[in-house]
Amino acid sequence: MDVFVPFAAHRPKTRLSGTFTIEERRAFADAMLGDVLTAVQSAGGSPTVLADRPIDLTTRVGAEVATDVAVRVDDRDLSPAVNAVLADAVSNTTDDAVAVVMSDLAIATPDSLRRLFVADGDVVIAPGRGGGTNALVVRDPAFRVDYHGVSLRDHRRIAADVGATVTELDSHRLASDVDERGDLTEVLLHGTGAARRWLVDAGFEPSSAAEARAGVRRRTDD
Amino acid sequence: MDVFVPFAAHRPKTRLSGTFTIEERRAFADAMLGDVLTAVQSAGGSPTVLADRPIDLTTRVGAEVATDVAVRVDDRDLSPAVNAVLADAVSNTTDDAVAVVMSDLAIATPDSLRRLFVADGDVVIAPGRGGGTNALVVRDPAFRVDYHGVSLRDHRRIAADVGATVTELDSHRLASDVDERGDLTEVLLHGTGAARRWLVDAGFEPSSAAEARAGVRRRTDD
């Protein structure tokens, strides 16, 4: 399956600006992108990075991961850029399906993506925590995305409007996009790739404090 | 499968005290408990509420749900109370397995619980967001729980110490326990039972604001 991975190359992960420097945000975003591309390939997908500006993918994710990954540049906002992909791709691909997988799904595994790719439905959605649309398979040429706001609700409505069936995939790994400091806990606890290694090397670890739910803390002793 | 559902009857959901009155917290906790018990039964489980004090279950969840649900009272903390269940139950049940499912999994469905019950492994864990242990199947009589802190990590270690295999279930529905205001968004977007109805009747709806991730707002016009 053709899998498009939108990637904000210039100012990634702005909501982590209180936790990371801009250089760290870029490095961490690159690590997550590399993990997502690797997981997509292991799940049998053919990934294309949908970047908002020209990027040197090899520099960002390494030569091994970058091999066989295409880059498509579109400087528009996320929704028009993805809709252009959908207009081109669905009905032009051999299996008449295209997937869109966000680049910050740092704990996505080949298994979770395989479940997404094989799920029945004209539109298959992996909801993000908080009502986003973290990953998507589109088999109906009339479906279009609108990532603004609570996109899960909008995508249910858009699918209904064009008569497309919707399947929602129940996956914590695909629900866990990494936007805020609290999300780093999931990467530390469930990650297996470069993003988790980067966090550990940068001194982060889960902190339980008195709360039932773990946060993260950064070592200050080095 | 015997399924124990721990329930704090006296002061439930303290981290929602900025959102709800104490009466509302109790009513909402009761609604979630009823939804969990219904889902457990639909998934083929035999639920017992593990309450921290005597409760009148019919008053809390209605006669229809309360039928065929046992109540076991244990006023100790969560971990010793569950460990007493494990000591009694595993090797005494017909299928040598017992499940523990938290009472605030308001978007748990029969499907997500069925996946939990049938998963292979001496210990099957449905991790909660933030490293908790939201649901658990135990088939090894030596395994014990420790819910304090980042319990997912502790349960991995305890299982390893007794030589028990661990399977982690990838489910957003089971990962979504309801502790904080932000968690209510999941109930509004994915709930299908009494807890969602209660929230809607109480005036809550998803609020997208400018953020990528939805929060909740409460109507003030009535």
Side-chain angles (χ1 to χ4, degrees):
Chain A
M1 188 178 295
D2 287 332
V3 181
F4 290 82
V5 181
F7 182 66
H10 181 46
R11 290 168 54 94
K13 302 288 116 197
T14 49
R15 283 150 72 196
L16 284 169
S17 55
T19 300
F20 296 142
T21 66
I22 175 64
E23 290 76 19
E24 288 176 328
R25 275 157 49 201
R26 286 189 184 133
F28 183 58
D30 288 349
M32 293 197 290
L33 173 65
D35 286 349
V36 168
L37 295 174
T38 302
V40 165
Q41 288 178 314
S42 298
S46 302
T48 296
V49 176
L50 179 61
D52 60 355
R53 57 177 55 200
I55 59 172
D56 177 355
L57 193 60
T58 300
T59 306
R60 289 178 177 266
V61 300
E64 198 180 344
V65 177
T67 306
D68 297 328
V69 178
V71 175
R72 172 176 167 143
V73 176
D74 192 323
D75 64 3
R76 287 175 290 181
D77 286 344
L78 179 61
S79 297
V82 168
N83 281 331
V85 165
L86 294 180
D88 290 352
V90 179
S91 83
N92 290 340
T93 56
T94 47
D95 56 359
D96 273 344
V98 64
V100 181
V101 174
M102 293 302 158
S103 62
D104 61 351
L105 304 187
I107 63 171
T109 50
D111 274 351
S112 57
L113 289 167
R114 249 178 244 121
R115 286 175 60 210
L116 178 79
F117 297 159
V118 304
D120 289 329
D122 298 332
V123 176
V124 182
I125 298 174
R129 176 176 163 80
T133 302
N134 283 0
L136 189 67
V137 171
V138 179
R139 299 190 175 92
D140 187 311
F143 181 81
R144 290 295 178 269
V145 296
D146 179 358
Y147 284 103
H148 189 76
V150 187
S151 66
L152 172 63
R153 232 172 16 179
D154 295 327
H155 290 153
R156 286 171 177 164
R157 180 184 47 72
I158 294 167
D161 287 348
V162 300
T165 61
V166 173
T167 300
E168 294 183 24
L169 189 76
D170 177 27
S171 167
H172 176 58
R173 289 186 173 276
L174 299 188
S176 300
D177 49 329
V178 178
D179 283 322
E180 303 170 353
R181 186 179 175 98
D183 302 329
L184 302 179
T185 309
E186 305 308 313
V187 184
L188 288 167
L189 290 172
H190 300 287
T192 56
R196 181 177 184 280
R197 275 198 308 278
W198 187 93
L199 277 181
V200 171
D201 289 347
F204 287 88
E205 57 191 37
S207 82
S208 61
E211 290 194 26
R213 203 169 280 182
V216 293
R217 69 176 171 209
R218 191 169 197 171
R219 287 195 316 269
T220 52
D221 57 358
D222 59 352
Chain B
M1 187 178 296
D2 288 333
V3 181
F4 290 82
V5 181
F7 182 66
H10 181 47
R11 290 169 53 93
K13 302 289 117 199
T14 49
R15 284 151 71 196
L16 284 169
S17 56
T19 299
F20 297 142
T21 66
I22 175 65
E23 291 76 19
E24 287 176 327
R25 275 157 50 201
R26 287 190 183 132
F28 183 59
D30 288 349
M32 292 197 290
L33 173 64
D35 287 347
V36 169
L37 294 173
T38 302
V40 165
Q41 289 178 313
S42 299
S46 303
T48 296
V49 176
L50 178 61
D52 60 354
R53 58 176 54 199
I55 59 172
D56 177 356
L57 194 60
T58 299
T59 306
R60 289 178 179 266
V61 301
E64 197 181 344
V65 176
T67 306
D68 297 327
V69 178
V71 175
R72 171 176 168 142
V73 176
D74 192 324
D75 64 2
R76 288 175 290 181
D77 286 344
L78 179 62
S79 297
V82 168
N83 281 330
V85 165
L86 294 180
D88 291 352
V90 179
S91 83
N92 291 340
T93 55
T94 48
D95 55 0
D96 273 344
V98 64
V100 181
V101 175
M102 293 302 157
S103 61
D104 62 350
L105 304 188
I107 63 171
T109 50
D111 273 350
S112 58
L113 289 167
R114 249 179 245 122
R115 286 176 60 210
L116 178 79
F117 296 160
V118 305
D120 289 328
D122 298 332
V123 176
V124 183
I125 297 174
R129 177 177 162 79
T133 302
N134 283 0
L136 189 65
V137 171
V138 179
R139 299 191 176 91
D140 188 311
F143 181 80
R144 290 295 178 269
V145 296
D146 179 358
Y147 284 104
H148 188 76
V150 187
S151 67
L152 172 63
R153 231 170 17 177
D154 295 327
H155 290 153
R156 287 171 178 164
R157 180 184 47 74
I158 294 167
D161 287 349
V162 301
T165 60
V166 174
T167 300
E168 294 183 24
L169 189 76
D170 177 28
S171 167
H172 177 58
R173 291 186 172 275
L174 299 187
S176 300
D177 49 330
V178 178
D179 283 321
E180 302 170 353
R181 186 180 177 99
D183 302 330
L184 302 179
T185 309
E186 305 308 312
V187 184
L188 289 167
L189 291 172
H190 300 287
T192 56
R196 182 178 183 280
R197 275 198 308 277
W198 188 93
L199 276 182
V200 170
D201 290 347
F204 287 87
E205 56 192 35
S207 82
S208 61
E211 290 194 25
R213 203 169 280 181
V216 294
R217 68 176 172 210
R218 191 169 195 170
R219 286 194 316 268
T220 52
D221 57 359
D222 58 352

